[in-house]
Amino acid sequence: MTAKLQLIGLKKKLRGRQVLDGVDLDVAPGKSIVIIGGSGQGKSVTLKCTLGLMKPDSGQVLVDGAEITKMPVEIRARVMRKFGMLFQGAALFDSLSVWENIAFRLIYADNVPRKDARERAIETMRKVRLSPDFADVRPIELSGGMQKRAGLARAIIAKPDILFFDEPTTGLDPITADAINDLIVEMVKELDCAAVSITHDMPSARKISDEIAMLHDGKIVWRGPTSTLDSSGNAMVDQFVAGRADGPIQAVV
Amino acid sequence: MIGLTAVFIGAALALNIYVGGARFNAESFVPNIVVLGITRELGPVLAGLMLAGRVSAGIAAEIGTMRVTEQIDAMTTLSTDPFKFLIAPRVLAAVLTLPVLVAVADIIGVMGGYLVAVNSLDFNGATYLRNTFNFLETQDVVLGLTKAAVFGFIIAVMGAYQGYNSSGGALGVGRATTNAVVGAIVLILAVNYLITAFFVE
Ligand SMILES: Nc1ncnc2c1ncn2[C@@H]1O[C@H](COP(=O)(O)OP(=O)(O)O)[C@@H](O)[C@H]1O
Ligand SMILES: [Mg+2]
């Protein structure tokens, strides 16, 4: 069976630093993988290269077996339809109302009539348990957790095959964070899609993943089913999971 | 604001030309030179510089904020081209609006010159206006409005370019804004010279 998404030898140098130094990863259909790793280790850069927001210096990104990094932009835009992404700060458009944000892709890329788009946006708001009362307000009036819900609704409205999450729980209180975790699990199951998340929040990583991969020094240093995380036999993983300052990983201060 | 600037510039221009013209008995050319100076040069350049401060900075700040908050990345993942959605409409709007503003500024500027000439310099109002419009050629207006459209383009593209390529949080947006204004001003002045030289050829 071909992987839904496969990264092969991704390399990227930024400001003279080899941020990604050959990242290999594959995600099976319907599976949820979480990439953990310290701050500044290149988790976001990995995601950006995958999504085509950044061009890797070398390496390949395969979606359903097709290499996408060298596709012309117009064709890649079609592949993008299979993707849904929840950004770290939700990245809602502050000049549009909440429902227009959620329906953005339908209105501006798929030419769905506004009336139908609005109906689908409101239906999606219910799914992520965001009250339709907020449909017409501006995103800045929403709390952090509600913005994440709106961002999630925007990501799933077109029923993607792969969902990406960049630090979905960062900046949220533990209770709200857990509600977002539940929602992610529920949506991934409902859409039956693959998911790639990055986080350094370990409770969240355990909850939303089938598998965990650890990124360090530009490479995936360990990967395995979530249940084996505590018996990984990898000193770096052990140190990261336990959150200790002493070990093979030096804290960057 | 551009109107206010234009009225004062027109008035000052009329006074200066009067004083300068008096030195070789050419005071009667005040209306001709005022209208020429304003439509060909001062109207578009002043409007361009003022809007570089406001519009270029505004566009850079808006698009820069969207860049650093990942809204532009988000737009790409939603299969929408940020260039078509964000940049093209702003450039088009600036290219279309600036000539209109400049045309209005030109009229107000000429009015400023007229007021000073009639009230302080003892010109006959009707003669002043007749001289103004008889002297003005289509070519002058075309030159002025062409400049205005080009300046509109520079203002919007500079703002969009700096905003689009900004990075590094609020600080980066601030830097983009400053760069947009400075870049637009320098480009406007340089391109103004080139267009004038080209038309004089
Ligand atoms: N657009 C960019 N330009 C230059 N350097 C960048 C850019 N984005 C990220 N970096 C650098 O790449 C490194 C990895 O960043 P990132 O992927 O955001 O880390 P994290 O694992 O915390 O998500 C950091 O050192 C960061 O400074
Ligand atoms: Mg990150």
Side-chain angles (χ1 to χ4, degrees), chain B residues 2 42-52 98 101-102 105 148 151 155 188:
Chain B
I2 289 173
L42 289 171
V45 170
L46 284 173
L49 293 183
M50 295 184 83
L51 289 177
L98 216 69
L101 281 176
V102 166
F151 296 167
I155 286 168
I188 284 173

Side-chain angles (χ1 to χ4, degrees), chain B residues 14 16 32 44 52 79 97 114-115 126 129 131 139 146 160-161 200-201:
Chain B
N16 278 320
N32 314 31
S79 307
T97 329
Y114 168 87
L115 287 176
L129 287 183
N131 282 344
Q139 187 211 8
T146 307
Y161 175 82
V200 170
E201 281 284 296

